[in-house]
């Protein structure tokens, strides 16, 4: 496939794990004189398309940042609308993704989420847990620091009870929500912001970052391919020499 910069995607070097900070819904709406919630609705349409695009490209893991532990500080109405949208998304996800081998998981703190959402998360996770293909991971009420605090608390308990005696990187990785999931190869953030905003702070230690100005509701398959092409032009050294 040829993109506007005339570069071709290398089908043999697709990042195994792509993480996305889906940012810019509010600004997208503001530019059009619409409410922020309409921006989020449009953003959820983009998400459906990007999940399918990743699936087609053969990506193994896709993790998207849907709601951070800091997003509770937004106006009540916006938080309510976001939660409604997420609930709707989870309810429809299986039907929409039917026929495709996509497993859905949700990572983040369950505390503070409504019973209805928790039930829906459990249902969709259980119904898709046997599926091998694309692992689609939604970070909802997720915070990287919160995740580490929880992991450390669990480790301390296990040390006290004698279950573990030494702490290493693997022990920490295994206690994170992402246990068993390889670290992201590529992290994409839309909307021009260049920060990590408490997303996968442990897991992204050697991830390649790609920032683009496109607002999330406008992000499309070609933008995704551009990000992958940029990734394919990088030299990953992991601290070594090449
Ligand atoms: C991303 O868009 C969606 C969430 C954080 C839930 P924003 O709502 O952050 O949009 P901007 O950054 O205000 O434009
Ligand atoms: C990060 O975006 C969270 C999500 C995309 C869910 P924010 O819009 O909340 O991040 P900041 O406040 O600009 O850092
Ligand atoms: Mg934002």
């Amino acid at each position: 496939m040829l993109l506007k910069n005339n570069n071709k995607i290398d089908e043999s070097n697709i990042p195994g794990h792509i993480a996305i900070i889906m940012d810019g819904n509010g600004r997208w709406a503001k530019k059009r004189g619409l409410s922020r919630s309409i921006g989020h609705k449009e953003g959820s349409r983009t998400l459906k398309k990007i999940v399918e695009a990743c699936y087609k490209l053969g990506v193994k893991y896709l993790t998207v940042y849907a709601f951070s532990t800091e997003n509770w500080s937004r106006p009540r109405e916006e938080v309510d609308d976001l939660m409604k949208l997420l609930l709707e998304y989870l309810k429809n996800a299986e039907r929409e993704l039917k026929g495709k081998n996509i497993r859905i998981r949700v990572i983040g703190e369950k505390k503070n989420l409504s019973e209805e959402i928790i039930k829906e998360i459990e249902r969709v996770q259980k119904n898709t847990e046997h599926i091998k293909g694309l692992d689609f991971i939604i970070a909802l009420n997720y915070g990287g620091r919160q995740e580490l605090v929880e992991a450390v608390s669990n480790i301390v308990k296990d040390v006290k009870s004698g279950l573990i005696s030494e702490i290493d990187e693997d022990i920490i990785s295994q206690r994170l929500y992402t246990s068993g999931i390889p670290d992201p190869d590529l992290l994409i953030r839309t909307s021009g912001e260049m920060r990590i905003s408490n997303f996968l702070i442990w897991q992204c230690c050697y991830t390649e970052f790609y920032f683009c100005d496109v607002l999330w509701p406008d992000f499309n398959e070609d933008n995704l391919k551009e990000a992958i092409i940029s990734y394919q032009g990088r030299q990953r050294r992991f601290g070594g020499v090449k």
Side-chain angles (χ1 to χ4, degrees):
M1 123 115 221
L2 273 174
L3 292 167
K4 62 171 183 275
N5 55 7
N6 265 4
N7 276 337
K8 253 189 158 174
I9 205 160
D10 174 1
E11 313 266 349
S12 70
N13 183 23
I14 300 292
H17 185 173
I18 298 181
I20 308 183
I21 302 178
M22 312 181 287
D23 201 12
N25 295 349
R27 277 164 283 167
W28 182 93
K30 194 172 176 198
K31 258 172 54 182
R32 290 163 177 77
L34 302 167
S35 73
R36 294 180 58 86
S37 292
I38 305 269
H40 296 313
K41 203 166 197 166
E42 220 33 59
S44 101
R45 284 207 189 115
T46 299
L47 178 57
K48 283 178 195 155
K49 290 186 211 143
I50 295 304
V51 176
E52 297 213 2
C54 285
Y55 179 70
K56 273 201 301 197
L57 285 164
V59 173
K60 293 278 168 240
Y61 297 88
L62 169 69
T63 304
V64 299
Y65 207 3
F67 192 91
S68 75
T69 45
E70 288 73 39
N71 287 147
W72 295 106
S73 66
R74 296 188 176 200
R76 176 74 197 269
E77 205 191 327
E78 181 174 348
V79 170
D80 285 351
D81 284 343
L82 271 166
M83 288 298 153
K84 266 190 226 148
L85 205 59
L86 285 161
L87 181 65
E88 208 180 299
Y89 192 92
L90 290 167
K91 277 189 173 162
N92 297 329
E94 268 174 279
R95 189 169 41 79
E96 303 236 1
L97 301 173
K98 214 178 164 76
K100 299 183 184 73
N101 294 325
I102 301 181
R103 174 183 179 178
I104 302 170
R105 296 194 231 187
V106 177
I107 58 167
E109 229 202 331
K110 296 288 172 294
K111 212 178 79 191
N112 298 328
L113 294 179
S114 73
E115 294 231 341
E116 216 184 352
I117 290 204
I118 293 173
K119 241 177 68 191
E120 205 48 48
I121 291 172
E122 283 165 1
R123 191 193 60 76
V124 80
Q125 290 192 146
K126 195 157 192 320
N127 284 354
T128 63
E129 72 185 353
H130 61 284
I131 301 179
K132 291 196 171 43
L134 168 66
D135 256 45
F136 172 36
I137 301 140
I138 303 170
L140 204 181
N141 194 21
Y142 174 90
R145 286 194 169 182
Q146 168 59 36
E147 180 181 39
L148 280 165
V149 167
E150 247 184 74
V152 170
S153 310
N154 287 332
I155 290 169
V156 168
K157 264 188 225 145
D158 286 351
V159 168
K160 276 188 185 160
S161 69
L163 215 64
I164 47 176
S165 54
E166 256 179 64
I167 300 164
D168 58 18
E169 290 189 6
D170 284 343
I171 292 268
I172 295 177
S173 293
Q174 284 156 18
R175 306 295 167 122
L176 302 176
Y177 301 128
T178 51
S179 170
I181 297 171
D183 290 341
D185 297 295
L186 168 66
L187 173 95
I188 300 170
R189 183 169 186 152
T190 58
S191 88
E193 306 298 356
M194 296 186 213
R195 55 178 169 264
I196 195 150
S197 300
N198 206 9
F199 191 43
L200 303 176
I201 52 178
W202 169 277
Q203 297 87 338
C204 281
C205 83
Y206 268 108
T207 298
E208 296 296 327
F209 286 13
Y210 179 86
F211 300 105
C212 66
D213 288 336
V214 180
L215 301 172
W216 177 248
D218 291 329
F219 192 78
N220 61 28
E221 200 174 332
D222 281 353
N223 300 132
L224 174 72
K225 287 178 174 163
E226 275 156 16
I228 295 176
I229 288 167
S230 163
Y231 165 86
Q232 291 177 336
R234 314 269 181 99
Q235 191 185 57
R236 301 182 79 185
R237 287 189 288 278
F238 300 98
V241 185
K242 271 196 182 159

